[in-house]
Amino acid sequence: MDDNGTLILALIALVAMSAFFSASETAYTSLNRARLKAMANGGDRRAAKVLALSEDYDRLLSGILVGNNIVNILSASLATVLFVRLIGGAGVSVSTAVMTVVVLMFGEIAPKTIAKDRPEKVALAFYPLLNAILVLLSPIIFLTTCWQKLVYRVFRPTDDRGITEEELITIVEEAENGGEIDEHESELIRSAIEFNDMTAEDILTPRVDIVSAELHSTPDEIARIFEKSGRSRIPVYEDSIDNIVGILHEKDFYRLRGKVPLKEMMSEPLCVVPSTRLAVLLKLLQRTKNHMAVVMDEYGGVVGIVTMEDILEELVGEIWDEHDEVVEDIVQLSENAWRVSGSASLDDLRQIVPIGDDFESVTVNGWVLEVLGHLPQPGDAFDYENLHVTVQRVARRRVEQIRIDRAPTDEAKE
């Protein structure tokens, strides 16, 4: 084989190495570490090594960049020699044009596209050769790492590089859109992310809806309350609902009925403030072995109650048992119409129709009262943005049900 044939084979090998480094960079940047960790935990030794190498990212990136630059510069030099031999002085220009296209197509675009589609497979397949090259280039990598540290000290970033809650939610949405997690998993993760921002005030059952018993009620009266409400626990108050003296469990009531006074059947109430965060409240309920907390305001009055089930529903969604009447807070009547319960969360409604964040209310009832400025009657209506809201049912001085009609898109634009 003549010298020109040797140069051509060398160029092919160098372009192949350029493709190798480009694919390695993309694969190790895009790989799913959680998937690799699961493979490593399952006994895959190479997956464990790939995971360890990916975590030493500065050394990995330095080695890949050094290797890629060496083979690209060398290939450009050899191509120039080859084309000058073949066509003379014009070989320099021709070499530049040809190698630019060849390296771009076969050394960059094609390998990176393949590695982006299957990063774990490429990373696992390339590990032995890549690790050997990193060991071979370790002296140069050491020098580039020292330079990198020096540059970092000079141009140290001053902004907070931690991931924000909004960015984390965006990552979850992208994972759902990409098919890596399903809708249920995505909703569960989002609920967990937002969980710590929620307080007892956001999910409490208001005092007007509390099912309770008076301390001096007869056993028959209390039995009827349990039977009618279907609750397993009820607060017990003395004189006023603002003076809750205990929590009565249905099991204890029927077990001790007629044997001991009502006071001895009850457990001490756990009292919290409206601003108590749900994460804190959940741990408090677990530590005190309670399933219900009484939410008190700054004046000692009862605002409402929060149960363990209320908290868990914020994470996993509504929990229904065989005694619950399934009631949907928001029911879609048509493409642009909904029937909404007054007790529905305003945040849940915002996910369906555009309602601004400049309202203090947390329920639909509060939102309607805030907009109207007075207690409405059935048939009262108002317009908000492109929404027409009609009050359908009012009871106990609260809006129980409304209807929302949204203007069609073309009308809204007009």
Side-chain angles (χ1 to χ4, degrees):
M1 183 181 293
D2 59 12
D3 291 343
N4 290 342
T6 303
L7 287 175
I8 292 173
L9 290 178
L11 283 173
I12 294 174
L14 290 171
V15 172
M17 286 303 299
S18 177
F20 170 81
F21 286 118
S22 297
S24 297
E25 180 183 359
T26 301
Y28 276 86
T29 302
S30 307
L31 58 79
N32 188 321
R33 286 177 173 78
R35 189 175 300 164
L36 277 179
K37 187 172 292 187
M39 294 170 63
N41 292 337
D44 191 327
R45 293 184 178 180
R46 182 172 290 190
K49 293 177 181 178
V50 169
L51 184 63
L53 183 58
S54 69
E55 291 174 349
D56 190 6
Y57 189 71
D58 288 344
R59 172 173 170 266
L60 171 67
L61 185 60
S62 296
I64 290 175
L65 293 178
V66 168
N68 204 17
N69 276 282
I70 289 175
V71 297
N72 285 341
I73 293 172
L74 187 55
S75 64
S77 301
L78 293 182
T80 301
V81 173
L82 175 63
F83 280 98
V84 167
R85 283 182 179 180
L86 294 175
I87 58 177
V92 176
S93 300
V94 174
S95 169
T96 301
V98 171
M99 289 309 297
T100 298
V101 174
V102 169
V103 171
L104 186 63
M105 298 297 295
F106 300 102
E108 294 289 335
I109 296 177
K112 286 188 175 183
T113 300
I114 295 171
K116 184 69 171 63
D117 289 340
R118 42 185 72 84
E120 291 80 22
K121 289 184 179 180
V122 172
L124 289 168
F126 285 6
Y127 171 78
L129 179 57
L130 180 61
N131 188 58
I133 292 174
L134 293 178
V135 173
L136 184 64
L137 297 176
S138 56
I140 302 176
I141 294 174
F142 173 76
L143 294 176
T144 58
T145 301
C146 292
W147 171 250
Q148 184 181 17
K149 290 180 179 179
L150 177 61
V151 171
Y152 180 78
R153 288 183 179 180
V154 175
F155 300 100
R156 183 186 299 273
T158 56
D159 59 324
D160 183 12
R161 301 176 66 187
I163 188 169
T164 65
E165 184 175 299
E166 290 76 14
E167 291 170 336
L168 190 56
I169 292 176
T170 301
I171 292 172
V172 173
E173 291 175 348
E174 290 178 351
E176 181 185 356
N177 294 334
E180 296 177 8
I181 59 176
D182 59 32
E183 183 180 356
H184 175 71
E185 292 170 330
S186 173
E187 185 63 32
L188 188 60
I189 295 172
R190 275 198 294 262
S191 297
I193 294 171
E194 297 168 353
F195 181 73
N196 199 49
D197 293 333
M198 301 187 68
T199 64
E201 185 177 20
D202 296 327
I203 67 167
L204 59 78
T205 299
R207 59 178 286 157
V208 294
D209 291 334
I210 294 177
V211 177
S212 59
E214 212 279 329
L215 180 62
H216 303 295
S217 301
T218 64
D220 289 340
E221 290 173 337
I222 295 176
R224 281 195 294 272
I225 293 173
F226 275 122
E227 182 179 355
K228 185 178 179 180
S229 67
R231 306 291 172 85
S232 60
R233 294 174 179 81
I234 58 173
V236 178
Y237 65 89
E238 186 174 13
D239 299 329
S240 166
I241 189 65
D242 287 320
N243 184 30
I244 294 178
V245 294
I247 306 298
L248 179 62
H249 196 295
E250 183 182 23
K251 185 187 297 184
D252 294 333
F253 170 73
Y254 285 111
R255 180 171 57 87
L256 301 173
R257 181 178 181 179
K259 299 178 183 179
V260 298
L262 183 59
K263 279 188 176 181
E264 298 182 18
M265 302 179 191
M266 304 183 304
S267 60
E268 287 289 327
L270 172 66
C271 298
V272 297
V273 295
S275 59
T276 304
R277 294 193 178 276
L278 293 192
V280 175
L281 180 54
L282 179 59
K283 292 180 180 179
L284 188 59
L285 289 171
Q286 290 174 319
R287 189 171 67 248
T288 59
K289 298 181 180 180
N290 280 296
H291 282 254
M292 179 183 292
V294 180
V295 183
M296 312 286 292
D297 63 21
E298 59 183 312
Y299 304 106
V302 172
V303 179
I305 59 170
V306 175
T307 66
M308 179 80 77
E309 183 177 317
D310 294 332
I311 298 175
L312 295 179
E313 284 179 341
E314 291 303 315
L315 286 171
V316 300
E318 291 293 332
I319 301 173
W320 306 101
D321 62 29
E322 61 274 17
H323 301 295
D324 287 336
E325 179 185 354
V326 179
V327 178
E328 295 291 340
D329 285 335
I330 303 174
V331 178
Q332 185 161 9
L333 304 175
S334 66
E335 183 181 357
N336 292 300
W338 295 266
R339 184 176 64 244
V340 184
S341 168
S343 60
S345 167
L346 191 57
D347 284 337
D348 291 343
L349 185 59
R350 283 191 179 102
Q351 297 178 16
I352 300 174
V353 294
I355 297 177
D357 295 328
D358 51 338
F359 295 100
E360 297 182 0
S361 305
V362 296
T363 65
V364 170
N365 168 62
W367 173 61
V368 173
L369 295 178
E370 196 171 343
V371 173
L372 289 175
H374 62 83
L375 181 65
Q377 297 298 319
D380 287 355
F382 64 89
D383 292 319
Y384 176 82
E385 299 292 340
N386 64 330
L387 307 175
H388 182 72
V389 180
T390 305
V391 178
Q392 293 186 321
R393 196 165 64 236
V394 177
R396 293 183 295 177
R397 291 175 294 195
R398 287 191 305 166
V399 176
E400 285 201 338
Q401 183 177 294
I402 65 171
R403 176 188 171 104
I404 297 179
D405 292 280
R406 181 176 60 191
T409 306
D410 54 348
E411 292 183 15
K413 290 180 180 179
E414 293 174 6

